[in-house]
PDB file of all heavy atoms in Angstrom:
ATOM      1  N   GLY A 396      14.221  30.312  11.256  1.00  0.00           N
ATOM      2  CA  GLY A 396      14.121  28.906  11.643  1.00  0.00           C
ATOM      3  C   GLY A 396      13.686  28.725  13.071  1.00  0.00           C
ATOM      4  O   GLY A 396      13.840  29.597  13.920  1.00  0.00           O
ATOM      5  N   THR A 397      13.113  27.561  13.364  1.00  0.00           N
ATOM      6  CA  THR A 397      12.718  27.184  14.718  1.00  0.00           C
ATOM      7  C   THR A 397      12.681  25.675  14.794  1.00  0.00           C
ATOM      8  O   THR A 397      12.309  25.007  13.844  1.00  0.00           O
ATOM      9  CB  THR A 397      11.347  27.758  15.107  1.00  0.00           C
ATOM     10  OG1 THR A 397      10.992  27.290  16.410  1.00  0.00           O
ATOM     11  CG2 THR A 397      10.262  27.314  14.132  1.00  0.00           C
ATOM     12  N   SER A 398      13.075  25.142  15.901  1.00  0.00           N
ATOM     13  CA  SER A 398      13.105  23.687  16.010  1.00  0.00           C
ATOM     14  C   SER A 398      12.270  23.147  17.159  1.00  0.00           C
ATOM     15  O   SER A 398      11.920  21.983  17.170  1.00  0.00           O
ATOM     16  CB  SER A 398      14.552  23.216  16.203  1.00  0.00           C
ATOM     17  OG  SER A 398      15.114  23.828  17.358  1.00  0.00           O
ATOM     18  N   SER A 399      11.946  23.990  18.131  1.00  0.00           N
ATOM     19  CA  SER A 399      11.268  23.474  19.319  1.00  0.00           C
ATOM     20  C   SER A 399       9.882  24.047  19.536  1.00  0.00           C
ATOM     21  O   SER A 399       9.040  23.418  20.185  1.00  0.00           O
ATOM     22  CB  SER A 399      12.132  23.740  20.567  1.00  0.00           C
ATOM     23  OG  SER A 399      12.363  25.133  20.704  1.00  0.00           O
ATOM     24  N   GLN A 400       9.608  25.250  19.041  1.00  0.00           N
ATOM     25  CA  GLN A 400       8.334  25.890  19.327  1.00  0.00           C
ATOM     26  C   GLN A 400       7.214  25.296  18.474  1.00  0.00           C
ATOM     27  O   GLN A 400       7.409  24.944  17.310  1.00  0.00           O
ATOM     28  CB  GLN A 400       8.436  27.397  19.076  1.00  0.00           C
ATOM     29  CG  GLN A 400       9.362  28.111  20.059  1.00  0.00           C
ATOM     30  CD  GLN A 400       9.478  29.582  19.734  1.00  0.00           C
ATOM     31  OE1 GLN A 400      10.059  29.948  18.723  1.00  0.00           O
ATOM     32  NE2 GLN A 400       8.925  30.425  20.591  1.00  0.00           N
ATOM     33  N   ALA A 401       6.035  25.214  19.047  1.00  0.00           N
ATOM     34  CA  ALA A 401       4.876  24.653  18.350  1.00  0.00           C
ATOM     35  C   ALA A 401       3.981  25.780  17.844  1.00  0.00           C
ATOM     36  O   ALA A 401       4.082  26.928  18.270  1.00  0.00           O
ATOM     37  CB  ALA A 401       4.087  23.749  19.298  1.00  0.00           C
ATOM     38  N   PRO A 437       5.659  30.064  14.829  1.00  0.00           N
ATOM     39  CA  PRO A 437       7.011  30.573  15.130  1.00  0.00           C
ATOM     40  C   PRO A 437       7.847  30.696  13.853  1.00  0.00           C
ATOM     41  O   PRO A 437       7.777  29.855  12.959  1.00  0.00           O
ATOM     42  CB  PRO A 437       7.589  29.482  16.050  1.00  0.00           C
ATOM     43  CG  PRO A 437       6.390  28.791  16.620  1.00  0.00           C
ATOM     44  CD  PRO A 437       5.346  28.829  15.554  1.00  0.00           C
ATOM     45  N   VAL A 759      15.456  27.434   6.043  1.00  0.00           N
ATOM     46  CA  VAL A 759      15.752  27.916   7.407  1.00  0.00           C
ATOM     47  C   VAL A 759      15.500  26.863   8.461  1.00  0.00           C
ATOM     48  O   VAL A 759      15.779  27.064   9.633  1.00  0.00           O
ATOM     49  CB  VAL A 759      14.923  29.187   7.723  1.00  0.00           C
ATOM     50  CG1 VAL A 759      15.241  30.287   6.734  1.00  0.00           C
ATOM     51  CG2 VAL A 759      13.418  28.887   7.724  1.00  0.00           C
ATOM     52  N   GLY A 760      14.920  25.714   8.083  1.00  0.00           N
ATOM     53  CA  GLY A 760      14.657  24.646   9.045  1.00  0.00           C
ATOM     54  C   GLY A 760      13.491  24.908   9.959  1.00  0.00           C
ATOM     55  O   GLY A 760      13.517  24.553  11.143  1.00  0.00           O
ATOM     56  N   ASN A 761      12.424  25.511   9.421  1.00  0.00           N
ATOM     57  CA  ASN A 761      11.225  25.795  10.215  1.00  0.00           C
ATOM     58  C   ASN A 761      10.237  24.648  10.024  1.00  0.00           C
ATOM     59  O   ASN A 761       9.435  24.635   9.090  1.00  0.00           O
ATOM     60  CB  ASN A 761      10.604  27.114   9.768  1.00  0.00           C
ATOM     61  CG  ASN A 761       9.509  27.589  10.700  1.00  0.00           C
ATOM     62  OD1 ASN A 761       8.745  26.784  11.239  1.00  0.00           O
ATOM     63  ND2 ASN A 761       9.412  28.898  10.893  1.00  0.00           N
ATOM     64  N   ALA A 762      10.284  23.650  10.906  1.00  0.00           N
ATOM     65  CA  ALA A 762       9.470  22.441  10.744  1.00  0.00           C
ATOM     66  C   ALA A 762       7.969  22.703  10.888  1.00  0.00           C
ATOM     67  O   ALA A 762       7.174  22.152  10.110  1.00  0.00           O
ATOM     68  CB  ALA A 762       9.913  21.375  11.737  1.00  0.00           C
ATOM     69  N   PRO A 763       7.502  23.504  11.860  1.00  0.00           N
ATOM     70  CA  PRO A 763       6.055  23.746  11.935  1.00  0.00           C
ATOM     71  C   PRO A 763       5.504  24.399  10.672  1.00  0.00           C
ATOM     72  O   PRO A 763       4.439  24.016  10.177  1.00  0.00           O
ATOM     73  CB  PRO A 763       5.913  24.666  13.155  1.00  0.00           C
ATOM     74  CG  PRO A 763       7.120  24.386  13.982  1.00  0.00           C
ATOM     75  CD  PRO A 763       8.201  24.104  13.016  1.00  0.00           C
ATOM     76  N   TRP A 799       7.791  13.384  14.254  1.00  0.00           N
ATOM     77  CA  TRP A 799       7.706  14.325  15.373  1.00  0.00           C
ATOM     78  C   TRP A 799       6.913  13.782  16.544  1.00  0.00           C
ATOM     79  O   TRP A 799       7.132  14.193  17.677  1.00  0.00           O
ATOM     80  CB  TRP A 799       7.092  15.644  14.901  1.00  0.00           C
ATOM     81  CG  TRP A 799       8.091  16.546  14.272  1.00  0.00           C
ATOM     82  CD1 TRP A 799       8.674  16.388  13.062  1.00  0.00           C
ATOM     83  CD2 TRP A 799       8.646  17.737  14.820  1.00  0.00           C
ATOM     84  NE1 TRP A 799       9.564  17.400  12.812  1.00  0.00           N
ATOM     85  CE2 TRP A 799       9.556  18.262  13.880  1.00  0.00           C
ATOM     86  CE3 TRP A 799       8.453  18.433  16.013  1.00  0.00           C
ATOM     87  CZ2 TRP A 799      10.284  19.420  14.108  1.00  0.00           C
ATOM     88  CZ3 TRP A 799       9.170  19.595  16.226  1.00  0.00           C
ATOM     89  CH2 TRP A 799      10.077  20.080  15.275  1.00  0.00           C
TER      90      TRP A 799
END
Side-chain angles (χ1 to χ4, degrees):
T397 177
S398 58
S399 59
Q400 293 177 291
V759 301
N761 190 324
W799 277 72

